[in-house]
Amino acid sequence: MTVRVRIAPSPTGNLHIGTARTAVFNWLFARSQGGQFILRVEDTDLERSRPEFTQNILDGLQWLGIHWDEGPFFQSKRMDLYRQQIQALLDRGLAYRAYDTPEELEEMRAAQKARNEAPRYDNRHRYLTPEQRAAYVAEGRPAVIRFMIDDEREIQWPDLVRGTVTWKGRDLGGDMVIARQAGGDEIGQPLYNFVVVVDDIDMSISHVIRGEDHIGNTPKQILLYEALGATVPVFGHTPLILNQQGAKLSKRDGVTSISDFQQMGYVAPAIANYMTLLGWSPPEGMAEIFTLEEAAQSFSFTRVNKAGAKFDWDKLNWVNSQYLHQMPIAQLTDLLIPYWQKAGYEFDWQGQRPWLEQVTHLVSQSLTRLEEAVPMTEYLFAQTLAYTPEATAQLGQPGATTAIAAIAAAIPSTPLTEAEAQAIVQQVVKAHGLKKGLIMKTLRAALTGSLQGPDLVQSWLLLNQLGQDQLRLQQALTLVEG
Ligand code: GLU
């Protein structure tokens, strides 16, 4: 059998991490089986679907490196096909028009509630007489289309993740609506559970791999496959991504869309890697840091967990830092430039490339996220340096101005080297009898405006290349001496 899988996002929001993770599992499975991965945009909900969300989803998948072999197909362009198939079910007596008004349905539910019964459609319009039907039509009542569900049926499927799953027909809520209301002979807007089946048949999907939140749709869809005379695909329901409280990760949990993670400075291979770990355990002996290509070689559903996976920021940060720490400096610099630019730092980004790469090198091993490079390197880009209260206090310490003046006097006019910088500090220790600790702390305060930060000598060399070290030492002296 040729493996054909798909991801079918609804463009009613930005690419959600749960959808992206489902895409990853589909992609991994397709690659591991030499199959195809198809992208279908489920934009049938016309009110909530928006083109900018579609764009965000396509961009996000591409950014993550989850490339699709076919598509994107858009459901909104395929309405004729769905209506034809609904008509076929009507013609074969497997579906029917139901004319209930919202008030009648409400009344029915209230009565069920009063009897302590689960809400369901009681199939009351399933066998209307031609006269009854004609009367409703004459009244001008619109109708939904309902697909008949046999209460006595037991529906079973071998789930790739969950093993055998069994549902009873009577637990499916009665005959299901497959098209919204429309008047006369019209067929209203076809609904999700129906169109997804038509599409999966039409696109020869062999395996439907999706989030566990869809598990209740599967028995209904299996009945639709049978009614449409198609082979039922293999289903696999992957565990949900949970928040710290153990509930499904939702918009209320803050950052959940791939573009948010991207903006915060997580890199694509790290996100893809972490999402794979959320629900899949690599086989023994395989490291936790891997590319999607590597994961595809060992991917199988036997190692997909049944239980939901808690989203763990610490783990994600660790995975991301592994990628950042190992990334070639040139590549990391390319990724950092947009963050510096967005922060408003002004610089000759192309002309001063070697300097930028040194800055990257200076902070690369401390980064967990790209965004963190902005505050970490602010002192290097600053046109006017701001001082923390601790730095200002340090500059006021006895001996501080002596140290600054002595260092300023010793800086050569040629570019400063690391050995020269070290020698200058030693020389000031000797000449003025000052403690090295005091000199270094004061120098840091004067050059960077803070008492914490990346390596001091390297920072000094970088500022020296810009001709900024002298300026800053003079500025510090002015500050203290008033
Ligand atoms: N459009 C559905 C969703 O975004 C996916 C449906 C499916 O995979 O069958 O959740």
Side-chain angles (χ1 to χ4, degrees):
M1 171 177 42
T2 318
V3 166
R4 287 175 60 84
V5 295
R6 78 326 189 257
I7 178 79
S10 305
T12 54
N14 287 335
L15 178 60
H16 186 271
I17 182 147
T19 312
R21 209 270 313 252
T22 304
V24 167
F25 281 179
N26 275 282
W27 187 94
L28 288 172
F29 184 62
R31 286 293 169 274
S32 72
Q33 302 292 312
Q36 270 108 44
F37 173 63
I38 292 138
L39 172 60
R40 183 171 76 223
V41 178
E42 300 205 328
D43 56 350
T44 39
D45 184 341
L46 301 174
E47 286 106 66
R48 289 170 61 226
S49 296
R50 293 220 237 111
E52 57 270 33
F53 292 142
T54 300
Q55 197 55 49
N56 179 280
I57 291 167
L58 302 189
D59 290 349
L61 290 173
Q62 238 144 11
W63 179 71
L64 287 167
I66 307 172
H67 303 299
W68 49 91
D69 303 307
E70 289 174 30
F73 300 107
F74 291 88
Q75 285 187 330
S76 56
K77 301 216 168 84
R78 298 164 54 83
M79 290 295 167
D80 288 348
L81 173 66
Y82 309 137
R83 290 204 165 91
Q84 273 165 25
Q85 296 293 338
I86 290 177
Q87 190 58 52
L89 291 183
L90 285 168
D91 294 345
R92 290 167 50 216
L94 298 175
Y96 61 91
R97 288 194 161 79
Y99 298 88
D100 312 272
T101 63
E103 295 73 31
E104 286 166 353
L105 292 174
E106 195 35 57
E107 219 171 279
M108 178 190 76
R109 279 189 197 116
Q112 286 165 343
K113 203 167 165 199
R115 294 194 299 268
N116 263 333
E117 290 169 12
R120 56 179 271 122
Y121 182 61
D122 60 9
N123 304 344
R124 56 178 65 177
H125 282 201
R126 197 192 262 197
Y127 301 112
L128 292 179
T129 61
E131 293 73 31
Q132 286 170 315
R133 205 166 291 130
Y136 284 133
V137 173
E139 251 181 70
R141 282 200 191 195
V144 298
I145 314 277
R146 285 187 185 267
F147 170 68
M148 289 185 201
I149 293 182
D150 179 0
D151 276 354
E152 303 310 315
R153 260 299 294 271
E154 193 177 78
I155 302 120
Q156 230 177 39
W157 74 90
D159 196 279
L160 284 174
V161 182
R162 318 193 65 81
T164 304
V165 183
T166 309
W167 281 71
K168 293 204 171 67
R170 74 174 59 84
D171 291 336
L172 297 178
D175 292 344
M176 68 189 267
V177 180
I178 55 173
R180 288 220 172 110
Q181 279 192 327
D185 286 342
E186 308 247 311
I187 293 172
Q189 191 193 329
L191 293 179
Y192 163 72
N193 269 313
F194 183 75
V195 297
V196 83
V197 171
V198 173
D199 278 342
D200 285 341
I201 295 171
D202 191 54
M203 296 173 189
S204 307
I205 298 301
S206 62
H207 295 70
V208 173
I209 298 156
R210 57 185 173 196
E212 195 188 284
D213 45 341
H214 282 289
I215 206 160
N217 290 322
T218 301
K220 299 178 186 172
Q221 294 180 8
I222 288 175
L223 295 176
L224 284 165
Y225 278 98
E226 292 174 1
L228 293 167
T231 312
V232 179
V234 178
F235 287 94
H237 292 88
T238 56
L240 298 180
I241 303 178
L242 309 175
N243 64 16
Q244 280 314 305
Q245 289 71 46
K248 183 183 167 189
L249 194 75
S250 76
K251 281 203 186 107
R252 266 160 307 187
D253 293 302
V255 181
T256 50
S257 68
I258 292 300
S259 44
D260 291 340
F261 287 103
Q262 184 180 4
Q263 262 168 34
M264 288 170 72
Y266 292 98
V267 290
I271 293 278
N273 189 155
Y274 178 64
M275 284 193 300
T276 310
L277 288 174
L278 266 179
W280 180 71
S281 321
E284 213 130 305
M286 180 170 167
E288 280 196 304
I289 300 296
F290 46 72
T291 62
L292 286 183
E293 295 292 345
E294 284 162 355
Q297 306 199 342
S298 342
F299 186 81
S300 84
F301 277 97
T302 51
R303 302 193 71 84
V304 171
N305 312 327
K306 283 193 188 57
K310 265 199 188 158
F311 189 87
D312 180 351
W313 283 101
D314 291 338
K315 184 74 184 258
L316 170 62
N317 285 336
W318 177 77
V319 171
N320 203 57
S321 65
Q322 299 303 302
Y323 281 88
L324 294 186
H325 298 174
Q326 279 152 33
M327 196 177 279
I329 293 299
Q331 189 186 346
L332 186 54
T333 305
D334 288 340
L335 294 178
L336 289 178
I337 289 174
Y339 287 86
W340 284 321
Q341 288 174 331
K342 202 170 143 224
Y345 298 170
E346 281 176 29
F347 202 70
D348 177 3
W349 303 105
Q350 256 138 46
Q352 299 263 48
R353 176 81 191 193
W355 186 86
L356 280 178
E357 292 198 358
Q358 291 175 58
V359 173
T360 303
H361 180 71
L362 179 65
V363 296
S364 65
Q365 297 306 307
S366 320
L367 289 180
T368 299
R369 291 183 288 114
L370 296 170
E371 195 184 49
E372 292 166 352
V374 170
M376 256 182 222
T377 59
E378 190 183 1
Y379 70 98
L380 291 168
F381 292 95
Q383 304 290 326
T384 25
L385 192 63
Y387 302 88
T388 64
E390 295 76 25
T392 311
Q394 178 63 33
L395 294 175
Q397 292 289 312
T401 46
T402 312
I404 297 172
I407 292 170
I411 295 176
S413 52
T414 47
L416 185 68
T417 65
E418 186 171 344
E420 284 167 347
Q422 303 283 11
I424 291 173
V425 174
Q426 287 310 328
Q427 184 189 317
V428 177
V429 170
K430 264 204 200 135
H432 299 275
L434 295 169
K435 287 220 165 67
K436 187 175 175 196
L438 172 105
I439 299 173
M440 296 301 271
K441 235 169 142 181
T442 306
L443 183 61
R444 185 182 279 284
L447 289 178
T448 74
S450 167
L451 295 187
Q452 280 96 37
D455 185 88
L456 176 59
V457 171
Q458 298 306 319
S459 301
W460 183 7
L461 299 185
L462 284 163
L463 289 165
N464 178 268
Q465 289 181 42
L466 300 180
Q468 277 282 329
D469 54 343
Q470 271 299 0
L471 290 177
R472 290 190 182 184
L473 294 176
Q474 297 312 323
Q475 186 185 319
L477 286 176
T478 319
L479 185 83
V480 182
E481 287 163 356

